[in-house]
Structures are given as C-alpha cells and as structure tokens.
Amino acid sequence: MADFLGSVWWMIVSLGVLVTFHEFGHYWVARRCGVKVLRFSVGFGRPLWSRRNRNGTEFAIAAIPLGGYVKMLDEREVEVPAGERAVAFNNKSVWQRIAIVAAGPAANLLLCIALLWAMFVIGRQDYSATLGRSAGMAAAAGLEAGDRIIDIDGRTVATWAEASMALTTAAMDRQDARVRVLDALDTPRTRVLPLSTLPAGFDERTVPQQAGLAWQFQLQPAQVDSVAEDSAASGHLQRGDLILAVDGQRVESADQVAPLVQQLGERGGPGMIEVERDGQRLALEVLPRKAQGGAGDGRWLLGVGFVSGQAPAYDARQQYGPLAALPAAVRESGRLASDSLGMMRRMLTGHASVKNISGPITIARVANASAERGVDWFLYFLALLSLSLCIINLLPIPILDGGHLLYYLIELLKGSPLSERAMAAGQYVGLALLAGLMGLAFYNDILGLFPR
C-alpha cells in the first residue's frame, strides 16, 4: 500500500510540475505577443482556488491534479467584442501563433536542461560499467570479470545504464558493438561483441545478459551467512566464509555456487571448496549431499545460506561545478533526445518492439523508485520526463502542439489558413491516434504488472 500511495503521489508531483511549466511557456509567450489569456489552470475540472490578475487572467488550481491548460481569447471558441479582437489568438500573425505553440515544448526542453544542471551540481551517484562476470558471447569476445567499459562504438559511457543502452541500441540495429575497456590493471583494450548474431525476436530489455555480461554491482558475494546442522558443509564451512572456488572453478557471486555444487555432486566424490576466512585462503574438502524429498529432491546441496539484501556502495559519481555543469547538462539533453528519437524511429521501422511504449502506471512506479533513490535520481527522472513531453508534443499529430505547428506551416505555404472542416477532420484523426497510443501504453503497463 505504501508503494502504491508513494507512486501516485510522486506521479502527481511530477506531472504537475512538468505540465505546469509547459503551459507557462505558452502563457509567457502569448502575453509577450499581446494575446489575452483568460485562464491559467493547474489541473482540470472544478477550480478549488482562483485569483484574477490586472490583465484579466484567472489563475486557478483545479480538482484533478493531472496536468493543466492555458485558455486564450479566440474567436473560434467564443464571441469576442470588437474592441478585443486585436488581442485574440486567431488574429495574431502566423509567426506569432507558431511562437506561442512552440513555447510549451521549448519550456520543457529548458526545464530538462535546468534539472540536469541541478543534478550534476549535486552529483548523481551510480554504478560503473564494471563486469562482474563474463560468459558465452562476451567471454568468447575476450571480455573478462573486472573489465570496466569506457566506450562503445565511439560513445563514452560512465555508468552501467549508459553501457546497457548503447549495447541495446547496437543489438536493435543488428550491429556488432566495438567495446573499449580498462582491464584490472587499467590497460585499455578493445573487444568486438557480435550482437548481430543474437537470434531474431530477442528480448530488448536483457541484451547485456543475453550477451553473457553481468555487472559487478548486481552480483551478490558468495559469503556464507548460515550453515545447516548435519549438512555437507557442517564442520567445514563457517559463517563469514567467502567462497572463492568450487572444485577448481572460480566463484564470483552467490548464484554460481548451486550449479557448481550440482556438477560436483553429479561427478561423484568429494571436491575442494576454496574460501577466504579471516584474511586467509583455505581449501576445504567437502562431499555434497543429495536432497531427499521436498522442493529440492534430487539436487546436490552444501547446506549453506548466503548473505543477501546488501546494496553495494556506488562506485561512479557524475558531478561538476556550477559553470561546468551547464555544458554537461546540454550534452546530456542532446544524448537523451537522440536516444529517444532513435527509439521512436526503430519502433516505426520495426527494429524495436512497441513494448517500449509506457504509460502512467510505469511513470508512477519509476517516479516512486527514483524518489526513493535520492534527489539526484529524481531530478534525472524529471528531466527525462520533461524531455519526453517536449518530444511527444512536437509530433505532427493534430490536437498536439506539433499538429498545430503543422497547420501553421501549411498556412505559410498556401498563404491562407486551413479550412475549419480540414482542421476538424485532423482533430478526429489526432484523437484516434492518441487514443491508440494511450491504449497501447496502458496495455504494456498492465502486462508489466504481471512479469512472466
């Protein structure tokens, strides 16, 4: 229940801030262009509070806190007295109307840069793109545990998330990835990861795992937390032991122990379990025992439990001074915009799944998770969401800002406005497209609540 309430709260806060800033962009430019603004509402529905300024604009906070709007004087919507026709939106020049409509997305872009600037000044903590384990395709390519990825296809990466995104992009484009790493001795090396060989229909959400990569921070150390009485490990392993190898095979995380013990049991006879205890490396001879009955029937077991639930310390931090943070924020905004537009292009061409389209449920969950991680991550989430609103609103779909801009560009080309009939038809098409996108987003959100 706490997660649900937290998700709802942070979604309301996020959308409230971003949409209000978007609408303020429309309002500010409209006033500079001499348009009379009738209402600036934060939220929809019945106003809970309102106040009117000297210019006649009503500022209101409404009951449904999911967005907002700016209502301008317009002869197409209300009867306008002759003395006020000059301040009606529809009577402004086409360039002024373009400026007013484009101001909303522009405000979201500026807000994105400002939020990223604040994030970089505070410093965003994350995990480096250091490999904890390498198998399959990655191992064959020469990537090893301890390698830290610093560049993929000429794109510098500082964190595991950036590396994952770059690898996923290469996989969706059916291209091999040129990966530059620093090994355990900080020696730069270049490896080629043959992502083009991934099978058709691969899961885009797990490209690193399918390539045989496991990030260091995700691996739980194989540190013994408990030893069952009268088990194979009883009298040999102790609480606090860190398992380093099983039967000569290196162990890098707790999840590797059970398969290696199973192999040892199937081989028959005792095997050597190498552990670190009080700073010393020990080799212990242990004979696994076969479970009888229950869920583990037939499995070979040691009889130990591992320490779990410990979040590793962050080992990467992106932080700049106030001046250096500005160009860093601009670069990051450009990178995020390029990634977003690239993903949209891939979905349209069929190179990416439409499962990447998310709706309000996912937004709420990510908002809550980001807020729990700290101010730096919540600022990053807000910046990404603000940029997404900017891009979505610029799509040439009628009823969105991009659709209106398309109308005005047509007006510039033909020398006269589109007919009301043509614009009305466009509105219906836009509503249908938007309803389809929202339906798909909700569908993906609901599927995400029940992972397979």
Side-chain angles (χ1 to χ4, degrees):
M1 179 59 73
D3 281 345
F4 172 77
L5 293 177
S7 297
V8 172
W9 165 252
W10 287 115
M11 182 182 71
I12 290 173
V13 170
S14 301
L15 292 181
V17 169
L18 301 182
V19 175
T20 298
F21 207 88
H22 176 97
E23 296 302 332
F24 181 79
H26 290 312
Y27 167 80
W28 190 84
V29 176
R31 292 295 303 130
R32 296 306 175 277
C33 291
V35 175
K36 182 175 181 179
V37 179
L38 302 178
R39 174 180 287 180
F40 185 120
S41 178
V42 177
F44 297 101
R46 181 179 179 181
L48 301 176
W49 172 91
S50 66
R51 179 172 295 176
R52 197 176 299 274
N53 70 2
R54 62 181 182 178
N55 296 315
T57 302
E58 179 189 9
F59 292 87
I61 297 176
I64 305 174
L66 296 176
Y69 64 92
V70 169
K71 182 176 178 61
M72 304 177 202
L73 188 66
D74 195 315
E75 289 181 310
R76 296 167 298 182
E77 298 178 3
V78 296
E79 186 174 346
V80 178
E84 291 191 325
R85 287 175 183 168
V87 295
F89 174 80
N90 63 291
N91 289 325
K92 294 300 177 179
S93 72
V94 64
W95 287 110
Q96 287 178 311
R97 281 177 279 144
I98 287 175
I100 293 168
V101 170
N108 280 130
L109 177 58
L110 291 175
L111 180 60
C112 170
I113 294 172
L115 290 167
L116 289 174
W117 175 86
M119 179 200 75
F120 281 131
V121 170
I122 293 172
R124 185 181 67 169
Q125 299 187 99
D126 203 350
Y127 297 104
S128 66
T130 302
L131 303 183
R133 187 166 64 240
S134 174
M137 178 192 299
L143 291 168
E144 300 176 347
D147 286 350
R148 178 164 59 88
I149 299 175
I150 57 174
D151 182 287
I152 297 177
D153 291 331
R155 173 173 167 174
T156 301
V157 296
T159 67
W160 72 278
E162 293 176 358
S164 296
M165 184 64 193
L167 293 173
T168 301
T169 298
M172 288 189 294
D173 291 339
R174 311 304 295 173
Q175 296 178 353
D176 296 339
R178 189 176 180 83
V179 181
R180 291 186 64 238
V181 303
L182 293 178
D183 64 16
L185 300 176
D186 281 341
T187 303
R189 302 185 184 279
T190 300
R191 303 286 185 254
V192 177
L193 202 56
L195 296 175
S196 61
T197 62
L198 286 175
F202 65 89
D203 189 344
E204 297 161 7
R205 297 166 296 181
T206 59
V207 168
Q209 293 92 318
Q210 293 176 74
L213 300 175
W215 305 114
Q216 187 179 69
F217 80 93
Q218 293 175 329
L219 302 182
Q220 194 69 38
Q223 186 170 23
V224 177
D225 184 53
S226 61
V227 179
E229 293 184 7
D230 196 29
S231 66
S234 180
H236 300 284
L237 275 71
Q238 300 178 9
R239 183 180 183 185
D241 285 350
L242 179 65
I243 298 180
L244 303 175
V246 174
D247 202 27
Q249 298 189 59
R250 181 179 174 182
V251 171
E252 291 152 349
S253 61
D255 62 299
Q256 292 179 292
V257 174
L260 293 177
V261 169
Q262 183 70 21
Q263 293 177 21
L264 175 58
E266 292 172 352
R267 177 177 66 78
M272 302 304 294
I273 308 293
E274 295 181 47
V275 302
E276 181 181 302
R277 179 185 299 168
D278 299 328
Q280 294 184 333
R281 188 175 184 126
L282 306 176
L284 309 172
E285 189 177 67
V286 179
L287 177 64
R289 295 183 183 177
K290 199 170 189 178
Q292 302 295 330
D297 188 24
R299 294 179 56 196
W300 293 91
L301 306 174
L302 280 182
V304 299
F306 296 105
V307 175
S308 62
Q310 293 183 345
Y314 290 116
D315 61 353
R317 185 180 183 90
Q318 295 175 288
Q319 186 173 25
Y320 302 91
L323 293 179
L326 182 56
V330 173
R331 288 194 302 270
E332 183 71 3
S333 298
R335 185 185 69 81
L336 292 174
S338 177
D339 287 345
S340 298
L341 292 171
M343 182 63 73
M344 293 172 66
R345 174 180 57 80
R346 292 181 183 91
M347 284 190 286
L348 289 173
T349 57
H351 288 91
S353 171
V354 293
K355 292 179 181 178
N356 291 291
I357 298 175
S358 301
I361 296 175
T362 298
I363 291 173
R365 294 171 68 184
V366 175
N368 187 48
S370 301
E372 289 179 348
R373 290 189 69 175
V375 175
D376 51 344
W377 276 96
F378 189 62
L379 289 172
Y380 181 77
F381 166 75
L382 286 178
L384 182 58
L385 190 58
S386 187
L387 182 63
S388 298
L389 285 175
C390 169
I391 293 172
I392 291 171
N393 271 285
L394 287 175
L395 293 177
I397 298 176
I399 82 169
L400 295 178
D401 292 333
H404 291 291
L405 291 174
L406 179 61
Y407 289 156
Y408 301 146
L409 291 176
I410 294 173
E411 181 179 339
L412 282 173
L413 292 174
K414 67 190 290 284
S416 61
L418 283 173
S419 66
E420 290 189 9
R421 182 176 180 180
M423 285 193 287
Q427 296 293 88
Y428 285 119
V429 171
L431 281 171
L433 288 172
L434 202 58
L437 285 172
M438 291 178 63
L440 179 60
F442 270 109
Y443 176 75
N444 289 339
D445 277 358
I446 292 170
L447 284 184
L449 294 175
F450 305 99
R452 295 180 180 181

